[in-house]
Amino acid sequence: MTADLLQSLTDPQREAVLHVDGPLLVLAGPGSGKTRVITHRIAHLLSQGVRPTQIAALTFTNKAADEMRSRLDRLAPGENVWIGTFHRFCARLLRQYAEYRGLQPNYTIYDTSDSLSLLKRTIRETDVQLTHATPEQVASAISWAKNHLIEADRYVGGVNATGSIVERVYPKYQAALQQANAVDFDDLLMHVTLLLKENEELRASLDERFRYILVDEYQDTNLPQYAIVRAMSIQYPNLGVTGDPDQSIYGWRGANLKNILEFESDFPAVKVVRLEQNYRSTPNILSVADALIANNKQRKKKSLFTDNPAGKAVRMIQYSTHKEEAQAIAARISAQVAQGKRRPRDYAIFYRINALSRTFEDAMRQQGVPYMIVSGVEFYHRKEIKDLLAYALLMNNPRDDVAFERIVNVPKRAIGKATLLKVRLHAATEGLSMLEAAREAGMIDGLGNRAAVALAKFVALFDRLSTKINDPVEEILGFVLSESEFKRQYEATDDVEDQTRLENIEELLSSAREYDTEHPHDGTLEHYLEEKTLVNETDDFDAEMDRVTLMTLHAAKGLEFPVVHIVALEQGLLPHERSRENPEQLEEERRLLFVGITRAEEELDLSMARYRDFRGKRNMTIPSPFLMELPRDEMEVTEEQTAFAPDFPLDESFFPEFPISGQRSLDLPRPALPSAVTNIRTAADLLGEREGDAQPRVEPNAFVQGMVVTHDEYGLGKIIALSGEGAKRTATVRFASGAGEKKFRLAYSPLRPANSSRS
DNA sequence: TCGGGGCAGATTTTT
DNA sequence: TCTGCCCCGA
């Protein structure tokens, strides 16, 4: 490692980078150059003669791993250091040592929805009454158990209803996974933990093999992750972790803050380095963040500082309505972009829950501001994609019952519920997989001839597909498409959604092609499928796109933007309703806001609305208690008075005890009001409803296929499909504006034929 | 077997 | 308001 590389570091950074042997804890505040430290440290280790294969760098997201790899590549080109997520690391080890855990190396990894469907089936087949618990609750209880390394046979339910259900279902669910040669996300970690725990020789050899382990975002590790890295750091305790307790926002996923808070007692000889200088934000932003987080008890005190210029004051704005909040923000962005001050990609809007994105989306569209929503429906979770991949998954692991059930009747093959029930019963009694049971369709009692033939046809199809298993992935998927007549179900209709599905399938094929090109020699179907399961949509977040970013506070971690808006700072939303009961969760909500605030480089706007329409109801809000914790005298506190008077009358008589206007309303003491948000309907609402849009503006039958129409919000579009009759007559319109395709019930929509437009 | 309508329920979600 | 699931009718 060259001297000038070291020169570019600050003293504490250099101290961490130069650390070679023994445990290392880097407490890195936001924007303190943490990734830089990790990559430089790896480069330094290599320069000291450590072999690249002896180093493993573990992250939580693929995005972080990619970032790290590309930065390391600039410092130490071509070095074969293992960098990747915990899950990928475990998946790889588990493939190698599958038989230790009763699995075959070609095991399938179930994502959340796959495991939930297996769980639901297990519940149906277990004689339990689910009157007091939802399958989701059972799933999260099992997940909780796995994150605490409690195996199925050791789970004790305790007194509550869910507990006793879980006690009975968990072992069966685990058996079903085993039978299907499959694991869920939590299993990846748990299996590897137990692997290390139960096989001392193996543990020792891995400890020796990975002499230098680096863990990023250590505050987010859960018990299995902690156990894994500890188990591999006994003979060679060169475990280097970086993290920030103040940025731990995944407690609900089992992350244990104690892992980082107690690192020093776990490894007494640890070297601790604090990175407290911030290179990202202005002092104004930092001091707001600092004042907020100081209210947490569970933390290590840190003093953040920066040499950056002061910058603008942080703004705290109270709008009257959620609409006004969104429109004011959109208008502001639009104006600044128009003046050439900034580009759309300089802005981000963060909210606590996805459901809030709609209002902002609408406002952006109205103002003509380009935006992108990060998250939403994930590509690989779309039905058509999961269906198609399920064929490949079943080819790779014929025991994968979830995949079998997903595709056995897709496209429709007249294999219905009743038939499957019999197959499943046969499979269970004979100890077979679903596919094996289907092979014996002729021998299953009570199965009609028609059903048996349909099953036999499916099995024959599957066997034909299986001959291609060693072909390039794109060819395999293409073969599946042509042989299974999978596409036909979407091609037959003129439904636009089917059109979109076909496009998604094309996209999947091109991703497969890409995979084939990247892995000309070492590509396998199994590896391709694993990659697809262990990625997620936010990994594709593209900062290069010149658009305003809309995302949840959780998704914002690790990112930075010149201008940040954090919206809906209201009691019940941030902190979220569900975190009310317990103080630890409240602290986590505070950290969430802290993470959001510290994403901002130059400008930060915090806002709330006095009224918010949510889930179809109009609510009066209560300011977030977090707002009371901020240093108001350093901030610019504003209350917008420009009400949307006509459609949003603010009638003080409804809430005499709660001042609606007036300078001091942001200074309200901590809410003494009942925590339930009040639901109000004004007379004007009711009036509006009555006079509203219930009448058709244009006779539904006046619309015809191909007609050019206009919509107040989305502009010009063309009718590309029509369906239904009378009040249900629905048009699908493709808009020119980039709003894409929308469906409208013609009797209620504001659509008008374009030529007859009159405002 | 299959599709539509009606109804409950609705954080966050690195993998 | 929006979505996903369950049940019923054909």
Side-chain angles (χ1 to χ4, degrees), chain A residues 469-667:
Chain A
I469 188 141
N470 292 319
D471 286 9
V473 179
E474 187 195 1
E475 282 173 37
I476 298 175
L477 294 181
F479 190 65
V480 170
L481 282 176
S482 60
E483 287 295 297
S484 68
E485 305 197 323
F486 185 84
K487 270 192 185 170
R488 196 192 44 189
Q489 55 184 333
Y490 300 130
E491 283 167 344
T493 63
D494 53 11
D495 190 332
V496 249
E497 285 176 20
D498 287 344
Q499 192 53 46
T500 321
R501 294 207 169 97
L502 287 171
E503 285 165 16
N504 289 336
I505 291 171
E506 284 307 320
E507 210 175 309
L508 183 71
L509 286 176
S510 68
S511 97
R513 194 175 315 129
E514 207 173 296
Y515 175 85
D516 291 332
T517 327
E518 282 169 15
H519 302 267
H521 309 297
D522 61 341
T524 62
L525 182 61
E526 178 176 295
H527 182 243
Y528 169 79
L529 292 169
E530 180 178 309
E531 278 211 338
K532 294 302 144 191
T533 312
L534 297 181
V535 297
N536 110 336
E537 192 89 343
T538 25
D539 294 337
D540 302 339
F541 167 71
D542 188 356
E544 298 306 303
M545 299 258 269
D546 197 6
R547 292 165 182 273
V548 175
T549 305
L550 275 61
M551 58 168 77
T552 62
L553 285 160
H554 281 92
K557 194 161 92 163
L559 303 174
E560 56 187 18
F561 299 89
V563 185
V564 165
H565 291 266
I566 303 177
V567 301
L569 281 151
E570 294 147 27
Q571 175 74 273
L573 285 172
L574 185 67
H576 191 271
E577 193 84 48
R578 299 242 181 137
S579 61
R580 195 150 34 102
E581 314 103 50
N582 118 32
E584 283 186 17
Q585 282 185 33
L586 191 73
E587 294 211 342
E588 181 152 316
E589 296 284 306
R590 197 179 275 114
R591 291 194 292 267
L592 195 50
L593 180 55
F594 175 80
V595 166
I597 291 172
T598 54
R599 301 306 97 196
E601 294 169 350
E602 297 163 31
E603 288 181 52
L604 172 66
D605 278 22
L606 306 172
S607 63
M608 60 159 294
R610 286 192 299 262
Y611 291 89
R612 179 172 303 278
D613 285 5
F614 188 52
R615 290 191 191 149
K617 295 217 157 73
R618 175 154 303 173
N619 298 310
M620 184 162 190
T621 66
I622 298 168
S624 166
F626 295 151
L627 290 177
M628 320 300 162
E629 300 172 358
L630 306 182
R632 217 161 281 224
D633 40 348
E634 296 172 21
M635 302 168 65
E636 183 185 328
V637 181
T638 335
E639 186 177 355
E640 297 293 328
Q641 296 291 355
T642 52
F644 273 46
D647 87 276
F648 225 117
L650 299 176
D651 186 343
E652 247 172 293
S653 64
F654 275 91
F655 294 98
E657 81 279 34
F658 199 89
I660 283 171
S661 58
Q663 289 303 80
R664 299 194 49 80
S665 59
L666 262 182
D667 289 327

